[in-house]
Amino acid sequence: MSLRARLTLAATAMAAVGLGIGGILLIVALDRALLGALDETARRQGEDIATLVESGRLPDPLPGFGAVVAQVLDDEDRVVASTPGGDRLTPVVAGDDLAAVRAGEAIDLDGTRLGQPEPLRVVGVAADAAGEPRLVVVAVSLEEQQRSVHFAKIGVTAGGLAVTAALAVLSWLVIVRALRPVDRLRGGAEEITGAGGGHRLPVPAGGDELSRLAVTLNDMLGRLDAAAARQRAFVADAAHELRSPIAALRTELEVALAHPDAVDPHDTAREALVEVERMARLVDDLLVLAHLDNPRPVRREELVDLGELALEVADGVRGGRVPVRVDVPGEVYARGHRDSLSRVLRNLVDNAVRHASSQVTASVSAPGDGTVRVAVTDDGAGVPEADRERIFERFTRLDDARDRDAGGSGLGLAIAREIVVAHGGTLVVEDAAPGARFVVTLPAAKTTVGAPEAVP
């Protein structure tokens, strides 16, 4: 069944149940009301006869006053007087029924006992004749009451079915109209392809739940389009970066094959190895970015001494273009993945060495505010303020770093920031006057002998 059919069926079933319960309560209330009115009428007839008994003017036979049967009984349950249709020897009721009537209750009686096809309703009214107790028994027919209840049942049933059918049609129309925006959303979604193209779903008017859902879905489509655009740009940039070393390697090999006597094979091998190493670094960076794009959380079970890590990274670049000085005042700890944090420092130091004029400084500190800081400073040209966020984008290289041998692939700073963010920290660039200062801020961790403890 369709959603429209299920909703219509549910609404109709609820309406039918409600109408059924209401109809039953109405029939019961009508039955009780008619019985109460009939009992009141019978008692009034009995009171009229009781007045005749108490005044000593009791006629025989008794006047019917519209009752089927009326009898006057003495205290020994003998018939003193009766209407013409009643038995003058035997009371209308006897035994427990008679005791109930004496107690003031109204009872139902089978009409066949008096030759009547319809059931009877019997009530009793106490009277007193010159100090002798009497009981006036009045039996009235239930035919009109039962006929009225029967017609009421027919009317309630027919009316309930008609109202239920009308509600079913109305529910169907309302649900169809309410779900019409869903059809438009579905039609809009069918037009959207994997290519994106900025297509959006139609937003229903009114500001209701469907409208808010459409706005949310459009926001999601916007994020997906942006992610797809970034992915396409990433693939294009990666292909472009790989093309350069491949072209250079191909050129070296083609020259070596075309002029074997004029080319030193050892020089060719060395130059080819340089290009292969460049491709290897680029592929390694791409794999790191692929892992960082994975939403899995970064492992943070290790306690890392950032000062020791900075010294290791500095030792790895000794003998480079400029010296690297490390300033470590003491033990400074952070929790994180050691290899990832080492890559962050290595990328920052390599970038600083590439742009420094005479020296690079890596300093580690703990400001005492629950964080630790690692600052890598160079004395180069610095980073213009307008480019201080752009340099952290993938494959971004400033104009003075466009040379493929000196400028790198443009992934180092992007990888560094994403690793730092994954560890709950920040990476920003500041003006060092002269030069640039890259500052890494991470949540601090303190340690005691034998047991590490994370700072809240």
Side-chain angles (χ1 to χ4, degrees):
M1 297 177 65
S2 65
L3 179 60
R4 295 183 181 88
R6 294 199 301 271
L7 290 176
T8 302
L9 181 60
T12 304
M14 293 177 63
V17 171
L19 290 174
I21 295 175
I24 292 173
L25 294 177
L26 177 63
I27 295 299
V28 171
L30 178 63
D31 182 69
R32 297 296 182 186
L34 292 177
L35 280 179
L38 191 61
D39 293 344
E40 183 64 23
T41 301
R43 284 194 174 89
R44 287 179 181 176
Q45 295 174 359
E47 289 172 356
D48 292 339
I49 296 174
T51 301
L52 296 176
V53 171
E54 292 175 351
S55 64
R57 295 181 292 123
L58 183 64
D60 191 14
L62 295 174
F65 296 108
V68 174
V69 173
Q71 292 178 326
V72 178
L73 307 180
D74 60 15
D75 56 350
E76 295 182 357
D77 299 335
R78 292 176 298 188
V79 179
V80 176
S82 174
T83 55
D87 194 337
R88 299 185 60 83
L89 299 178
T90 304
V92 175
V93 290
D96 294 337
D97 291 339
L98 181 57
V101 170
R102 285 186 180 278
E105 297 181 13
I107 64 171
D108 292 336
L109 181 68
D110 188 1
T112 57
R113 292 181 56 181
L114 298 177
Q116 298 289 332
E118 299 84 12
L120 304 175
R121 187 75 168 175
V122 181
V123 298
V125 177
D128 183 87
E132 295 181 0
R134 296 288 187 266
L135 178 65
V136 180
V137 178
V138 179
V140 295
S141 175
L142 289 174
E143 180 181 4
E144 291 298 329
Q145 184 266 346
Q146 291 186 340
R147 183 182 294 113
S148 298
V149 172
H150 177 68
F151 287 148
K153 289 180 180 178
I154 294 176
V156 167
T157 302
L161 292 176
V163 171
T164 300
L167 286 176
V169 174
L170 180 62
S171 299
W172 174 265
L173 296 177
V174 171
I175 291 171
V176 167
R177 182 177 180 84
L179 293 181
R180 193 171 297 162
V182 177
D183 288 335
R184 290 196 289 268
L185 289 176
R186 180 179 56 82
E190 289 178 348
E191 296 176 359
I192 297 176
T193 64
H199 295 290
R200 294 295 182 266
L201 299 175
V203 178
D208 55 5
E209 290 80 359
L210 288 177
S211 176
R212 292 194 293 272
L213 174 62
V215 171
T216 302
L217 292 176
N218 283 335
D219 292 340
M220 180 191 69
L221 290 174
R223 293 192 297 271
L224 291 177
D225 284 345
R230 288 195 302 269
Q231 184 179 18
R232 289 192 295 269
F234 178 76
V235 172
D237 290 336
H240 177 74
E241 292 294 334
L242 286 171
R243 183 181 299 172
S244 296
I246 291 175
L249 183 60
R250 180 177 180 177
T251 300
E252 295 289 345
L253 296 177
E254 287 178 348
V255 170
L257 290 175
H259 307 283
D261 297 332
V263 176
D264 186 355
H266 295 286
D267 292 339
T268 302
R270 280 193 299 269
E271 292 179 2
L273 182 59
V274 170
E275 298 300 332
V276 170
E277 289 177 349
R278 183 183 176 203
M279 285 193 296
R281 288 195 302 270
L282 180 58
V283 171
D284 185 49
D285 288 342
L286 293 176
L287 289 175
V288 171
L289 286 174
H291 285 295
L292 290 174
D293 289 337
N294 194 320
R296 292 178 302 176
V298 177
R299 294 181 298 167
R300 304 181 65 180
E301 69 277 5
E302 297 181 66
L303 194 64
V304 181
D305 186 346
L306 295 180
E308 178 184 348
L309 199 63
L311 291 172
E312 292 179 1
V313 172
D315 289 338
V317 295
R318 292 196 185 279
R321 192 175 64 85
V322 296
V324 178
R325 184 172 63 89
V326 179
D327 183 10
V328 182
E331 294 182 344
V332 178
Y333 289 94
R335 285 196 176 275
H337 190 232
R338 183 180 179 85
D339 292 342
S340 298
L341 294 178
S342 176
R343 177 181 287 273
V344 171
L345 296 183
R346 187 167 61 252
N347 288 357
L348 295 179
V349 170
D350 288 343
N351 179 75
V353 169
R354 186 181 301 117
H355 295 90
S357 298
S358 60
Q359 180 176 298
V360 172
T361 302
S363 61
V364 181
S365 62
D369 57 355
T371 63
V372 293
R373 290 162 57 93
V374 179
V376 179
T377 308
D378 64 74
D379 57 354
V383 180
E385 187 173 354
D387 296 324
R388 290 180 183 176
E389 280 299 318
R390 191 169 66 90
I391 60 174
F392 292 107
E393 298 176 1
R394 299 177 181 184
F395 297 105
T396 297
R397 289 176 294 184
L398 301 184
D399 292 338
D400 59 351
R402 292 293 181 182
D403 182 71
R404 68 180 180 91
D405 295 325
S409 63
L411 294 176
L413 294 180
I415 292 174
R417 170 170 274 190
E418 294 197 21
I419 291 176
V420 171
V421 171
H423 282 74
T426 59
L427 172 58
V428 296
V429 59
E430 302 173 351
D431 188 6
R437 179 184 298 107
F438 289 83
V439 181
V440 176
T441 303
L442 294 170
K446 62 182 180 180
T447 181
T448 57
V449 177
E453 179 184 357
V455 173

